Amino acid sequence: MSDWVEACAAGDIDEEDVMRFDHGGRTFAIYRSPDDDYFATDGLCTHEKVHLADGLVMDDIIECPKHNGRFNYKTGDARGAPVCVNLRTYPVRVDAGKVLIQVG
Amino acid sequence: MSTTPSRRDYSLIGRDAKLAVETGLSAAEWYHTDIPRKQMKELMQRSDGPAIRDTIIWLAALILSGAGAAWFWGTWWCVPFFFVYGVLYGSSTDSRWHECGHGTAFRTQWMNDVIYQIACFMIMRNPVTWRWSHTRHHTDTIIVGRDPEISVMRPPDLVRVVLAFVGVLDAWHAMSDMLRNAAGNISAAEKTFIPEQEQPRAIRFARIWTAIYAATIALALYTGSFLPLMLVGLPRLYGAWHHVMVGLLQHGGLADNVTDHRLNSRTVYMNQISRFIYWNMNYHVEHHMFPMVPYHALPKLHELVKHDLPAPTPSILAGYREMIPAFLRQLRNEDYFLKRELPPTARPYREEFHNDAVAAAE
Ligand code: FES
């Protein structure tokens, strides 16, 4: 599979934070966890299609900026009302200081 | 007071509801003041400290005033204790329900959940139904036919507004909804905002509450005293006045069917006691624009964005001085509203879409 795409430099995202990444007409959210690992999910909340990159990362949770719905960004699990549908997650690797995600 | 029939259809399954969805007024993109991500992140940070402190004070005051009221029951000395107890039970739970429902009061989620459940019971709001209704309130704030939490519809029903101060209608509706839900019935309007998989939970809570109220009534009958009801249930009536007094100011007399919280919400400066009871929801424009910011950071957020917002209303009294005449005028012209003037430093309203409403209001 060659659908790995470069999303940003590793240093572009602060620790315990999230960044928006648009590619091929789609939008993703890239996370840097407090342990300095990187993760990626769909960029829009499954509740009302709001950009999660404007939300708050706390430990392994992303909280949506619109209605405070929470997801585990490592697994995509929805953590209760008002989000009921899980987020899709994507494989991520860091290569030579670049964050790559497999968007397939 | 006589009113002309409303052109607005507030039903959640009515004409205006459909229209709002068709025209894109529902679930629209709302205006936000620009705040650099770094600052926004700081403002959104959660901590348990302030809410634990406030909750200890709140619960201690609730228990002491309740104990004092029970101790002096049968004498006039119980009145000041009930006054305090009533406000803590029937008013401060409005903001606890609200903040813990957003999940922003505490950093630790179970703490939000516990206080949310207690507050929901006291303020008589089904924890499931009202979580979803408030979600809709944030998506479609004061959009006619979509927002289930419009407290003063147009033309205003002033009798209803006055009765809200003693909680009569709210409690009546809450009790009948509770019994209906406990019987397993979710209404058509409720079905528009509570997802199907959540509806059994709403029914379960209604049944638990019905059992608690039944036990309280049984205790009152058994002891031959009103005291149990004065401590559980009735404070929602005699203590409601504060949350209604501050709550009406949130949107009262302002625009509807707009997508800019600066036009339909009001920030009001108020005293420290009211702010404690209300958990800073007097910064209401700020809260709606950025619901991720916890109540204790709202004063800081206000300082940061006030250049882009209408001037805050200087006091509760000033709020009523502008709101009551607006309500009276809406009896004659329901399209009238108070247009919030922006300071020169603010980004203007989106004229293409707010101008018509202004013209109608003249
Ligand atoms: S849009 Fe994300 S929780 Fe509602």
Side-chain angles (χ1 to χ4, degrees):
Chain A
M1 295 282 281
S2 60
D3 49 359
W4 284 93
V5 295
E6 186 182 318
C8 58
D12 287 347
I13 315 176
D14 288 344
E15 243 175 56
E16 206 172 26
D17 203 3
V18 56
M19 203 178 100
R20 174 175 166 178
F21 169 60
D22 295 338
H23 175 79
R26 292 160 69 189
T27 183
F28 303 88
I30 320 260
Y31 308 84
R32 183 172 171 186
S33 74
D35 323 322
D36 212 10
D37 290 322
Y38 291 79
F39 298 87
T41 68
D42 271 335
L44 298 178
C45 179
T46 57
H47 177 228
E48 283 184 6
K49 309 275 172 250
V50 165
H51 282 283
L52 291 168
D54 293 327
L56 176 67
V57 177
M58 281 179 292
D59 303 324
D60 50 7
I61 293 292
I62 172 71
E63 191 176 291
C64 172
K66 182 81 180 176
H67 307 108
N68 311 76
R70 292 174 171 208
F71 299 93
N72 180 322
Y73 60 80
K74 296 181 178 176
T75 62
D77 286 347
R79 288 297 183 86
V83 291
C84 306
V85 178
N86 294 346
L87 268 180
R88 185 169 169 196
T89 58
Y90 299 87
V92 176
R93 64 184 162 87
V94 180
D95 215 353
K98 305 284 180 203
V99 179
L100 299 128
I101 80 166
Q102 194 175 26
V103 296
Chain B
M1 240 169 270
S2 72
T3 58
T4 47
S6 175
R7 293 199 304 275
R8 288 168 168 75
D9 179 359
Y10 286 93
S11 162
L12 299 182
I13 48 175
R15 181 201 63 213
D16 285 16
K18 271 191 218 114
L19 206 64
V21 173
E22 279 162 21
T23 57
L25 190 56
S26 166
E29 189 146 343
W30 286 68
Y31 175 79
H32 290 104
T33 302
D34 286 334
I35 299 182
R37 172 82 187 157
K38 195 174 145 43
Q39 272 172 311
M40 198 57 219
K41 253 178 71 183
E42 276 167 20
L43 287 162
M44 290 191 292
Q45 280 319 307
R46 305 296 155 74
S47 73
D48 288 330
I52 288 178
R53 177 201 62 210
D54 288 349
T55 302
I56 290 172
I57 297 171
W58 174 59
L59 287 176
L62 189 76
I63 291 166
L64 287 175
S65 57
W71 180 262
F72 289 110
W73 178 243
T75 74
W76 283 107
W77 287 106
C78 71
V79 173
F81 287 98
F82 276 123
F83 178 79
V84 174
Y85 181 79
V87 169
L88 295 172
Y89 185 117
S91 278
S92 64
T93 46
D94 172 52
S95 53
R96 271 73 185 161
W97 155 78
H98 177 263
E99 283 301 286
C100 294
H102 276 285
T104 50
F106 299 88
R107 181 182 170 98
T108 308
Q109 197 48 33
W110 69 260
M111 296 185 189
N112 285 314
D113 293 340
V114 168
I115 299 301
Y116 180 73
Q117 290 296 337
I118 295 170
C120 279
F121 176 77
M122 292 178 171
I123 198 76
M124 295 186 180
R125 292 176 187 161
N126 184 300
V128 177
T129 311
W130 280 77
R131 191 186 289 279
W132 287 97
S133 81
H134 197 64
T135 297
R136 177 70 76 76
H137 174 62
H138 272 269
T139 299
D140 290 331
T141 313
I142 320 294
I143 302 291
V144 176
R146 292 290 298 171
D147 184 349
E149 295 184 5
I150 300 180
S151 48
V152 185
M153 297 172 181
R154 300 196 211 165
D157 181 343
L158 296 182
V159 175
R160 211 189 154 88
V161 171
V162 171
L163 286 178
F165 280 84
V166 284
V168 188
L169 292 177
D170 281 354
W172 172 256
H173 289 303
M175 288 291 121
S176 38
D177 288 348
M178 179 186 78
L179 293 174
R180 181 175 47 72
N181 288 160
N185 183 336
I186 301 287
S187 71
E190 286 167 345
K191 282 179 184 163
T192 69
F193 58 85
I194 312 175
E196 208 175 328
Q197 69 269 33
E198 291 275 294
Q199 291 169 14
R201 290 182 65 236
I203 291 170
R204 199 162 56 241
F205 281 116
R207 288 179 178 160
I208 295 168
W209 289 14
T210 304
I212 297 173
Y213 286 116
T216 310
I217 292 167
L219 185 65
L221 289 172
Y222 178 73
T223 56
S225 165
F226 255 121
L227 182 59
L229 291 166
M230 285 295 286
L231 293 172
V232 177
L234 290 179
R236 174 62 181 81
L237 277 72
Y238 67 78
W241 63 273
H242 189 280
H243 95 258
V244 177
M245 176 183 75
V246 292
L248 287 176
L249 292 169
Q250 293 178 352
H251 308 285
L254 304 179
D256 61 10
N257 293 338
V258 292
T259 57
D260 190 330
H261 294 111
R262 299 176 301 175
L263 278 164
N264 69 9
S265 308
R266 184 187 275 109
T267 285
V268 184
Y269 287 150
M270 53 182 73
N271 67 80
Q272 288 291 340
I273 293 175
S274 286
R275 278 179 49 196
F276 173 80
I277 295 167
Y278 196 25
W279 260 6
N280 281 342
M281 273 307 117
N282 52 309
Y283 296 106
H284 213 65
V285 182
E286 293 83 346
H287 165 67
H288 266 284
M289 241 188 219
F290 301 105
M292 299 283 287
V293 175
Y295 75 96
H296 48 81
L298 286 176
K300 234 189 254 165
L301 172 62
H302 170 68
E303 288 306 318
L304 205 64
V305 297
K306 67 181 182 191
H307 67 277
D308 198 35
L309 268 43
T313 305
S315 66
I316 294 173
L317 191 63
Y320 276 82
R321 280 207 174 121
E322 66 169 13
M323 194 169 66
I324 291 172
F327 285 161
L328 294 174
R329 203 159 154 190
Q330 284 174 350
L331 291 175
R332 281 175 280 124
N333 172 13
E334 69 170 64
D335 291 327
Y336 176 76
F337 67 92
L338 298 161
K339 183 169 182 201
R340 317 302 281 162
E341 294 302 332
L342 289 171
T345 47
R347 282 231 307 270
Y349 297 127
R350 280 174 283 188
E351 291 299 332
E352 77 279 7
F353 143 45
H354 296 132
N355 254 352
D356 293 349
V358 174
E362 298 308 333

